[in-house]
Amino acid sequence: MQENQEFTADLDFARLQVKDSSYNKQLELDPSLIKNAYNKQERPRNYYCYRHRPDLVKERMADELANEELQKQISKLSLSEQDSIAHIFKTFSEAPPQNRCVILQGILTQCCLTQLSFVSNYIKDLIRIDFIVALPSEISVKILSYLDAISLCQAAQVSKTWKRMADDDVVWHKLCEQHIDKKCYKCGWGLPLLDQKQKRNGKRSALNETSIDSPVVTTCISAADAHNSMKYLQHHTSPVSSPSNTNPSTPNTPSYDSQDEIREVKRVRISEDKTIPLYPDIPFITLEPHKTRPWKEVYSERLVVERNWRKGRYTVRSIKGHTDGILCLQFNEEYNRLITGSLDKTVRVWNLDTGELIHVLKGHTRCVQALQFDNVKLITGSMDHTLKLWNYHTGQCLNTLEGHTDGVVSLHFDNRIVASGSADHTIKVWNFSTSKCTTLRGHTAWVNCVVIYQKSQLLSCSDDQTIRIWDLITKTCTKVFDSQETHVASIQCIQPTVLCSVFNSSSANTSHKERSKCNDPDKIDEPIVISGSLDNTIKMWSLETGKCINTLFGHVEGVWSLAADKLRVASGAHDKSVKIWDKDSGKCMHTLVGHGGAVNCVALGDTMIVSGSEDCEIRIWDFKH
């Protein structure tokens, strides 16, 4: 019985080994009254309970206040009563732990109900343990890492020690891992990645150095000047992300994720102290030292943007310059560039932040239907049956690809492979490494969109209302999506992405509610493709089965363009509106209106949506400011 009482008395004690018992001095009530009771030199103890740990005594200011109040009450008594109380204190302090329990038990048995009520109320605060302070810091951090952001901010207001623990980088890093660029399965929402913006802020972008005060109008160079353009492409091509990565910034193609970084131009050593660029026409990019920020600051920055997305708070900027409708566009926050193609036969390069016109690229003889760029090159496709390769930093046309017998409607490149879809019902795959061109046949109408998927496959959609998957190695069509569930009008755009799905959920009958939360350990990312059609609907298809998973209704006229990331989908339609959808639930979150004509193209980024319309206007919907 005594052993159990001793064990209970020492329960939750923190084991801290010390060599003396100087902590007793901190428990004095009055040196003149009970000095002997608290200055007794006891045999040194190896372990102390939570209330008597020397390193924690100073943390409990409440004990000092209680001692002062007790001292005042004792001073009001007579000297004989004070001596009696001091003797009781001394006897109790000198008793071993097991005898203390016996003394307390005897005292409590003699107390009346009023005194027991007093004891019950008084010990409520005394038996509370500040576990964050008492436990090892590693365990405290582990406990705090299970809290959400609001709870962590509240915990930081408890004390200085709690604030230090709650603001620990390890805690906020785990919180960022749960939310950034994915949906948290606990709260059901995620945070934007903002990687391209951070890269631009952390590097001295060579693109800004090449901009000039006045617009430059250029035309195509001669065939002799473009003789070495193939060699230029082989040396200046940087890989772009596969369509499975979801950080898109163009309506017809996926964008460039964190792997799509600015490459340093190769340099050739000619002496110990001198170097020259291997390609002098491309600016050399100097990297600045990497600066780290607290994870709490990273989380807070992205939380502001995410709240704006959820609540539909944004600012709108308008850019004008084209003289006819805008058919295609792409922007990149890292390079601070926006490039647009139009019915006026021109391609224009803009400063994304300021809206300043940098270059006007002339060379196509008919409207520009498609374009894509990376940090080095720009490729455009036109209804004049050609594709053109540009150095958009200087505005120079490097090469013209001919082969289609009708207009080029769509294109997509990945590294040194370019795929183009045409009004001649064919798809051509241009390989710049081997200088070969392959033709894929199977569609029976205009090929409106092509996307290279995982480097070895190609996705395409057409006016013939089909979506096809092609093998780029065997040059054959491997799958045609379910014709019974397909669109009832021409398919204008497709966008590969991923959808959070339950394990073994290959059946199309799986409930959409099971797909509404991401970052869940019981779920996986299922590759899908999203399609938009002139039948006013948007459909989601399983890439594995070719079955329709979900159909989104909302537009009242045909859908011309789509863009998607891991959190949302943006669509532009003939009804002059842009809609933002929750990708997993299929719910329409916001509708953006303001264009005076059909929205032909949309691009989606972490902080903004850019749209181009038949009204010759580019609108930037900025959710960061």
Side-chain angles (χ1 to χ4, degrees):
M1 180 65 178
Q2 290 181 351
E3 293 180 356
N4 292 337
Q5 291 177 344
E6 182 179 354
F7 176 78
T8 303
D10 291 335
L11 189 61
D12 292 332
F13 286 3
R15 296 184 175 181
L16 178 65
Q17 187 170 356
V18 296
K19 296 181 179 180
D20 56 58
S21 56
S22 59
Y23 74 97
N24 290 324
K25 297 180 181 179
Q26 302 183 30
L27 302 178
E28 298 177 0
L29 296 178
D30 189 347
S32 63
L33 179 64
I34 51 174
K35 181 177 181 179
N36 295 332
Y38 289 92
N39 283 342
K40 176 178 174 59
Q41 296 297 321
E42 298 180 354
R43 181 167 54 90
R45 299 176 57 186
N46 291 330
Y47 304 104
Y48 293 97
C49 71
Y50 168 77
R51 284 183 50 76
H52 295 140
R53 274 177 54 175
D55 61 322
L56 298 182
V57 169
K58 61 180 65 178
E59 299 285 343
R60 297 191 304 276
M61 301 299 297
D63 286 355
E64 297 181 4
L65 298 177
N67 291 341
E68 293 178 1
E69 182 64 25
L70 181 59
Q71 178 181 338
K72 292 179 181 180
Q73 294 181 17
I74 294 177
S75 64
K76 298 177 181 180
L77 303 175
S78 63
L79 293 178
S80 61
E81 291 175 335
Q82 293 180 9
D83 291 340
S84 300
I85 294 175
H87 178 70
I88 295 173
F89 287 161
K90 179 181 178 181
T91 303
F92 185 81
S93 64
E94 292 177 349
Q98 61 271 22
N99 291 350
R100 287 188 180 189
C101 293
V102 174
I103 294 172
L104 289 175
Q105 186 175 3
I107 293 175
L108 292 175
T109 56
Q110 300 180 37
C111 293
C112 64
L113 187 60
T114 304
Q115 294 164 345
L116 290 175
S117 178
F118 168 79
V119 172
S120 177
N121 293 330
Y122 188 77
I123 67 173
K124 284 182 179 179
D125 294 332
L126 296 181
I127 63 176
R128 291 178 179 175
I129 296 179
D130 188 345
F131 61 92
I132 294 296
V133 175
L135 292 173
S137 59
E138 294 82 1
I139 298 179
S140 299
V141 169
K142 181 68 174 179
I143 293 173
L144 292 174
S145 65
Y146 289 99
L147 301 180
D148 57 25
I150 296 178
S151 300
L152 280 175
C153 293
Q154 292 173 344
Q157 302 176 28
V158 173
S159 66
K160 292 182 179 179
T161 304
W162 279 59
K163 177 175 175 56
R164 177 172 55 83
M165 292 290 185
D167 289 346
D168 192 277
D169 249 16
V170 175
V171 177
W172 287 94
H173 178 259
K174 182 175 180 181
L175 205 61
C176 289
E177 282 186 328
Q178 291 177 347
H179 292 87
I180 292 181
D181 203 30
K182 64 184 71 173
K183 274 195 175 182
C184 176
Y185 72 95
K186 294 180 180 179
C187 62
W189 53 272
L191 301 178
L193 188 60
L194 299 187
D195 63 327
Q196 294 183 350
K197 194 74 172 181
Q198 295 302 327
K199 289 178 188 176
R200 180 157 62 95
N201 292 339
K203 298 178 181 179
R204 181 171 59 85
S205 176
L207 301 180
N208 292 330
E209 298 176 2
T210 60
S211 61
I212 57 178
D213 296 334
S214 58
V216 176
V217 180
T218 61
T219 58
C220 284
I221 60 176
S222 63
D225 295 332
H227 176 71
N228 294 324
S229 61
M230 187 70 71
K231 182 178 180 180
Y232 171 91
L233 181 63
Q234 293 175 350
H235 289 289
H236 288 73
T237 305
S238 62
V240 297
S241 63
S242 67
S244 60
N245 294 324
T246 54
N247 212 7
S249 61
T250 176
N252 296 325
T253 62
S255 163
Y256 318 105
D257 62 3
S258 57
Q259 297 178 353
D260 186 18
E261 299 179 352
I262 298 180
R263 289 192 312 153
E264 293 189 28
V265 179
K266 296 181 181 179
R267 304 174 72 88
V268 179
R269 175 73 64 178
I270 58 176
S271 68
E272 292 296 329
D273 56 348
K274 294 182 180 180
T275 58
I276 60 172
L278 184 60
Y279 305 107
D281 54 335
I282 301 299
F284 184 75
I285 299 172
T286 303
L287 300 179
E288 294 181 353
H290 180 62
K291 299 179 181 179
T292 60
R293 296 187 302 158
W295 282 104
K296 184 177 182 179
E297 181 182 336
V298 174
Y299 185 93
S300 301
E301 178 188 27
R302 285 153 176 77
L303 181 61
V304 172
V305 179
E306 174 59 26
R307 283 177 175 171
N308 291 340
W309 278 108
R310 278 184 284 161
K311 297 183 179 180
R313 295 192 296 237
Y314 56 84
T315 58
V316 182
R317 291 186 288 128
S318 178
I319 299 177
K320 296 181 179 180
H322 283 288
T323 59
D324 209 336
I326 300 167
L327 298 178
C328 53
L329 63 83
Q330 180 190 337
F331 75 91
N332 191 290
E333 293 182 78
E334 182 182 351
Y335 313 141
N336 192 28
R337 287 295 179 266
L338 167 66
I339 301 182
T340 57
S342 171
L343 282 165
D344 62 11
K345 309 174 189 178
T346 67
V347 177
R348 295 176 185 256
V349 183
W350 313 81
N351 183 298
L352 181 60
D353 285 342
T354 64
E356 174 191 6
L357 179 62
I358 299 174
H359 296 295
V360 179
L361 311 182
K362 291 186 177 181
H364 285 295
T365 58
R366 295 183 65 184
C367 64
V368 180
Q369 282 281 135
L371 63 84
Q372 185 184 348
F373 73 92
D374 59 13
N375 62 314
V376 174
K377 63 183 178 296
L378 163 71
I379 299 180
T380 58
S382 169
M383 292 302 291
D384 62 8
H385 308 183
T386 66
L387 292 89
K388 290 186 181 294
L389 173 67
W390 309 78
N391 179 348
Y392 66 92
H393 302 294
T394 62
Q396 183 183 25
C397 181
L398 303 171
N399 195 10
T400 299
L401 305 179
E402 299 179 349
H404 284 291
T405 59
D406 207 336
V408 178
V409 182
S410 56
L411 68 88
H412 181 229
F413 70 79
D414 186 348
N415 202 359
R416 296 185 178 92
I417 298 178
V418 181
S420 58
S422 171
D424 62 10
H425 309 174
T426 67
I427 301 170
K428 289 189 178 293
V429 181
W430 316 76
N431 192 321
F432 290 101
S433 298
T434 61
S435 301
K436 293 182 179 179
C437 177
T438 305
T439 302
L440 307 179
R441 292 181 171 86
H443 285 294
T444 59
W446 285 26
V447 182
N448 294 320
C449 186
V450 292
V451 178
I452 298 173
Y453 180 68
Q454 294 183 345
K455 299 185 182 299
S456 61
Q457 292 180 308
L458 179 73
L459 306 179
S460 64
C461 68
S462 169
D463 279 345
D464 61 12
Q465 305 174 16
T466 64
I467 300 174
R468 293 175 179 264
I469 301 180
W470 307 79
D471 190 321
L472 293 180
I473 299 177
T474 61
K475 308 299 187 300
T476 59
C477 179
T478 60
K479 183 179 296 184
V480 180
F481 284 15
D482 195 337
S483 59
Q484 296 181 354
E485 299 178 333
T486 191
H487 294 280
V488 296
S490 63
I491 304 174
Q492 294 297 312
C493 47
I494 52 175
Q495 182 66 58
T497 182
V498 293
L499 188 69
C500 198
S501 175
V502 296
F503 282 120
N504 301 323
S505 62
S506 58
S507 173
N509 297 324
T510 303
S511 171
H512 299 305
K513 293 183 179 180
E514 295 178 324
R515 304 174 183 271
S516 63
K517 296 179 181 178
C518 285
N519 194 27
D520 191 329
D522 296 329
K523 298 183 180 181
I524 58 174
D525 286 337
E526 179 183 1
I528 65 169
V529 61
I530 306 174
S531 61
S533 169
L534 294 184
D535 63 6
N536 311 347
T537 66
I538 300 170
K539 288 182 178 290
M540 295 183 179
W541 308 80
S542 170
L543 276 175
E544 297 179 356
T545 64
K547 301 291 185 178
C548 180
I549 297 174
N550 198 2
T551 302
L552 312 183
F553 299 92
H555 285 292
V556 295
E557 294 188 61
V559 179
W560 288 109
S561 180
L562 285 174
D565 60 17
K566 290 185 177 179
L567 302 175
R568 57 189 64 89
V569 177
S571 60
H574 201 78
D575 57 13
K576 309 177 185 179
S577 70
V578 176
K579 288 186 179 291
I580 305 173
W581 312 79
D582 181 86
K583 187 178 67 176
D584 295 313
S585 66
K587 178 182 177 181
C588 180
M589 301 169 59
H590 308 291
T591 300
L592 312 180
V593 295
H595 279 295
V599 180
N600 295 323
C601 46
V602 294
L604 174 63
D606 287 330
T607 62
M608 64 180 68
I609 292 177
V610 181
S611 57
S613 171
E614 290 282 357
D615 59 7
C616 313
E617 183 182 18
I618 306 165
R619 295 178 74 88
I620 300 176
W621 318 80
D622 193 343
F623 288 82
K624 187 173 184 179
H625 302 291

